[in-house]
């Protein structure tokens, strides 16, 4: 399914998408085209409104939103590695290399930044970013993401 207003900006030196604007539901929310819901098992003993008049699931703490948000963004990157020409499994989301911010009372916006690593070493000034708004992944960025030769010895 194609999502409206998808835009891709490609880095002219590396040929890798530097910025992707999209509307991809990855978490339950009331974003455009988002019909995802929390599982029934997650709904007991919690408020069913998300603060915006919708009923897309439980009220979560900011820490819980960070956890599910990180997992959802990580899964999106893993599913799109070939499309992005990257290896997110080995070069992103390493322990201590990802920062997140949850905004709003209901966590309506999540921002994520993950430093790139190569064979366990930080790749200076290279990172991936993502923004989730109302459950939809709305943009992804890859900064200073050149190709690294797999035979490179560190």
């Amino acid at each position: 399914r194609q999502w409206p207003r998808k835009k891709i900006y490609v880095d002219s030196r590396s040929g890798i998408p530097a910025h992707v604007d999209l509307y991809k539901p990855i978490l339950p929310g009331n974003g455009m085209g988002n019909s995802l819901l929390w599982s029934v098992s997650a709904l007991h003993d919690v408020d069913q409104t998300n603060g915006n008049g919708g009923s897309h699931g439980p009220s979560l703490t900011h820490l819980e939103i960070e956890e599910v948000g990180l997992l959802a963004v990580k899964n999106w990157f893993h599913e799109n590695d070939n499309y992005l020409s990257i290896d997110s499994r080995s070069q992103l989301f390493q322990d201590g290399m990802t920062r997140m911010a949850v905004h709003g009372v209901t966590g309506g916006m999540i921002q994520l930044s993950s430093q790139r690593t190569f064979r366990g070493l930080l790749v200076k000034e290279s990172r991936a970013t993502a923004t989730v708004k109302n459950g939809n992944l709305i943009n992804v960025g890859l900064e200073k993401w050149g190709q690294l030769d797999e035979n490179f010895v560190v």
Side-chain angles (χ1 to χ4, degrees):
R1 180 174 180 181
Q2 294 294 321
W3 293 99
R5 298 187 282 181
K6 183 182 349 181
K7 294 181 184 175
I8 301 169
Y9 302 90
V10 177
D11 181 300
S12 61
R13 289 180 285 173
S14 69
I16 293 174
H19 187 89
V20 181
D21 288 332
L22 67 163
Y23 294 89
K24 173 67 177 163
I26 62 171
L27 291 172
N30 58 5
M32 182 173 74
N34 190 331
S35 59
L36 299 177
L37 299 172
W38 298 105
S39 69
V40 174
S41 63
L43 299 179
H44 63 73
D45 298 329
V46 292
D47 179 9
Q48 295 297 304
T49 63
N50 63 11
N52 295 316
S55 60
H56 285 275
S59 296
L60 301 175
T61 67
H62 278 213
L63 182 58
E64 291 169 326
I65 293 169
E66 280 186 17
E67 290 174 6
V68 296
L70 176 59
L71 182 60
V73 169
K74 194 186 293 191
N75 287 340
W76 185 89
F77 270 96
H78 294 341
E79 291 169 4
N80 290 279
D81 272 0
N82 287 338
Y83 171 72
L84 297 170
S85 300
I86 67 170
D87 180 6
S88 65
R89 283 177 175 79
S90 69
Q91 296 183 9
L92 288 175
F93 310 111
Q94 306 304 315
D95 289 340
M97 296 291 181
T98 302
R99 293 182 303 145
M100 295 185 71
V102 177
H103 304 282
V105 175
T106 61
M109 182 180 288
I110 303 167
Q111 293 177 303
L112 175 142
S113 173
S114 184
Q115 294 294 312
R116 182 182 185 188
T117 60
F118 183 75
R119 298 194 176 154
L121 298 174
L122 177 68
V123 179
K124 188 173 181 178
E125 298 179 3
S126 185
R127 68 183 180 137
T129 61
T131 303
V132 178
K133 187 171 183 183
N134 296 322
N136 288 359
L137 182 63
I138 61 168
N139 64 50
V140 170
L142 298 171
E143 296 179 15
K144 297 184 180 178
W145 203 284
Q147 292 292 353
L148 296 171
D149 186 347
E150 286 299 319
N151 296 322
F152 180 72
V153 179
V154 290

